[in-house]
Amino acid sequence: MKQQKNRIRLLDVLRGFAIIGTLGTNIWLFAQPGNIMGVFSNENWWESFASFLTAFLSVFVNGKFLSLLTILFGIGLELKYRKAMREGLPWIRMYLWTMLLLLLDGLLHFIFVFEYDILMSYALTGMIVAFIIRYREEIIKRSMIVSAMIHFTGIILVSIGWVFLIKDEVFLSEMARMSHETTQLYANQSYCQQIQFRMNDFWGLRIEAILIIFMNITLYILGIRLFRAGAFSNNDKAQRIRKKLMIYGLGIGIPLNLLTLVPGGFFDIASRYVFAPILALGYIGLFAWVLQKAWAPWLIKRFESIGKTALSCYILQNILTSIIFYGWGLSVAPLSSAYVVILLWILLTIVMMGAAEFFVKYIGTGPLEYLWRKLSYSPFKK
């Protein structure tokens, strides 16, 4: 009970919101396996209401919850660091062990469930930031700036290449061929063949997880610095910080992310990997404001439960979505109807809410969280 009382409710609510939003991005990959172009591009969004709806959701969902979840992982690292210092635990050995467990979890998730797993990338980022967090504030700040500059430079170069690539007929033809093969694999072939595909093309399927490492480092440290600045405390200073996050995050983030609707692909990459974190900060301020106003208490309570069981719900949602869409399950993919995809997103969210309530009621947390915590701290307890 002590652990439950010491939890910061806003962080749980945000974590739950991020998990639901992550499903809102990933479900399109399940519905149309292999269609990577659909994740990055909103071409011809004006042609139908379904296209408009898909693009509209992309503006507010695609990449935004990846960024929000990354910031929250950084805050979680800071909380673990404080606990280690408070209890005299060996920080580096303990946290590297914890990240190795997360890396293993992510690897198993990648092999047996979903090739776009984010846990492996978070584990590698955590191993790096675990060393940075021990230094004085100035070095931490410089590390964040340097990683942000490296990431931003890389995104500019990739964006320039992307604009030329999506106009190249040979590239588009090759992407269409690969997309068709992947669609056939997940729609018609066995579970074992899908596992073999993920293992055979391990590095190709892990390219995003590697390329976003510097973005992850930046957002981890940003989360740490926000927490140290008092943004999640219960006082007037914290409210002022969160109000600024909401005003500037939404006020700047929404217009920037709307640029993804500009034809030509100029902002496709930047929207997911540069503009998205700005809007994610706005979401932090927005949900803090909603929580303060005590609006939609039933819904907020459901988000909170999912946040307390975030790791378990993340794995669960991908297992359930695999069963629904893949050929070894209900074989719904490939699914082109945006309305049906959105309906399934809502239904899966309701299922997650029920599962999270069950976990919290009978375990106090998610089963994977319980196991991970036991394995993480047991070797280092005095």
Side-chain angles (χ1 to χ4, degrees), residues 319-332:
I319 293 174
L320 293 177
T321 314
S322 300
I323 293 171
I324 291 171
F325 285 102
Y326 291 164
W328 53 267
L330 300 180
S331 194
V332 173

Side-chain angles (χ1 to χ4, degrees), residues 40 66 103 110 115-125 128 147 150-151 154-155 158 201-218 272-273:
F40 291 101
L66 174 68
L103 185 67
F110 169 85
E115 63 262 40
Y116 299 106
D117 164 79
I118 59 172
L119 300 178
M120 296 174 70
S121 184
Y122 285 166
L124 294 174
T125 305
I128 296 169
S147 63
I150 294 172
H151 173 68
I155 293 301
V158 172
D201 197 21
F202 179 86
W203 293 110
L205 294 170
R206 294 284 70 199
I207 189 67
E208 183 190 47
I210 297 170
L211 292 178
I212 63 172
I213 287 292
F214 285 105
M215 182 184 81
N216 287 352
I217 293 172
T218 303
R272 182 172 171 83
Y273 300 114

Side-chain angles (χ1 to χ4, degrees), residues 73 108 134 145 245 305 317:
F73 258 83
L108 295 175
R134 301 181 304 165
I145 293 171
L245 290 177
S305 295
Q317 71 185 21

Side-chain angles (χ1 to χ4, degrees), residues 123-334:
L124 294 174
T125 305
M127 292 178 185
I128 296 169
V129 179
F131 290 92
I132 298 173
I133 197 175
R134 301 181 304 165
Y135 293 100
R136 65 179 187 272
E137 190 64 27
E138 184 61 30
I139 294 178
I140 294 174
K141 180 180 178 180
R142 287 180 184 177
S143 299
M144 185 182 77
I145 293 171
V146 169
S147 63
M149 290 175 64
I150 294 172
H151 173 68
F152 186 67
T153 302
I155 293 301
I156 291 176
L157 295 175
V158 172
S159 295
I160 293 171
W162 177 257
V163 171
F164 285 103
L165 282 174
I166 61 174
K167 294 178 176 17
D168 185 283
E169 293 297 330
V170 175
F171 172 77
L172 292 176
S173 177
E174 180 64 16
M175 288 294 293
R177 182 192 64 79
M178 293 172 60
S179 176
H180 176 73
E181 289 180 356
T182 304
T183 299
Q184 293 302 310
L185 169 73
Y186 283 103
N188 302 316
Q189 297 188 30
S190 69
Y191 178 63
C192 291
Q193 287 173 307
Q194 293 171 15
I195 291 175
Q196 186 177 8
F197 164 73
R198 289 193 283 265
M199 294 180 68
N200 289 344
D201 197 21
F202 179 86
W203 293 110
L205 294 170
R206 294 284 70 199
I207 189 67
E208 183 190 47
I210 297 170
L211 292 178
I212 63 172
I213 287 292
F214 285 105
M215 182 184 81
N216 287 352
I217 293 172
T218 303
L219 295 181
Y220 263 56
I221 297 176
L222 178 60
I224 291 167
R225 298 189 69 216
L226 279 173
F227 192 89
R228 291 184 177 183
F232 299 93
S233 300
N234 187 23
N235 53 42
D236 292 340
K237 178 186 176 183
Q239 289 184 18
R240 288 194 297 270
I241 294 173
R242 295 194 294 259
K243 184 177 180 179
K244 288 181 179 179
L245 290 177
M246 181 174 69
I247 293 172
Y248 292 111
L250 299 180
I252 298 173
I254 292 176
L256 285 177
N257 282 280
L258 284 170
L259 291 174
T260 190
L261 303 180
V262 175
F266 300 103
F267 302 102
D268 290 348
I269 304 297
S271 173
R272 182 172 171 83
Y273 300 114
V274 177
F275 304 155
I278 300 172
L279 190 52
L281 291 172
Y283 288 161
I284 293 175
L286 176 63
F287 266 80
W289 182 66
V290 170
L291 200 59
Q292 181 185 346
K293 296 293 184 181
W295 288 350
W298 184 89
L299 188 60
I300 293 297
K301 179 66 176 175
R302 305 290 83 74
F303 287 165
E304 183 181 6
S305 295
I306 293 176
K308 291 178 179 178
T309 59
L311 180 60
S312 298
C313 283
Y314 172 67
I315 302 295
L316 175 63
Q317 71 185 21
N318 289 334
I319 293 174
L320 293 177
T321 314
S322 300
I323 293 171
I324 291 171
F325 285 102
Y326 291 164
W328 53 267
L330 300 180
S331 194
V332 173

Side-chain angles (χ1 to χ4, degrees), residues 99-117:
M99 289 300 99
L100 281 173
L101 292 174
L102 185 64
L103 185 67
L104 176 61
D105 189 3
L107 178 61
L108 295 175
H109 181 235
F110 169 85
I111 293 172
F112 295 107
V113 183
F114 187 47
E115 63 262 40
Y116 299 106
D117 164 79

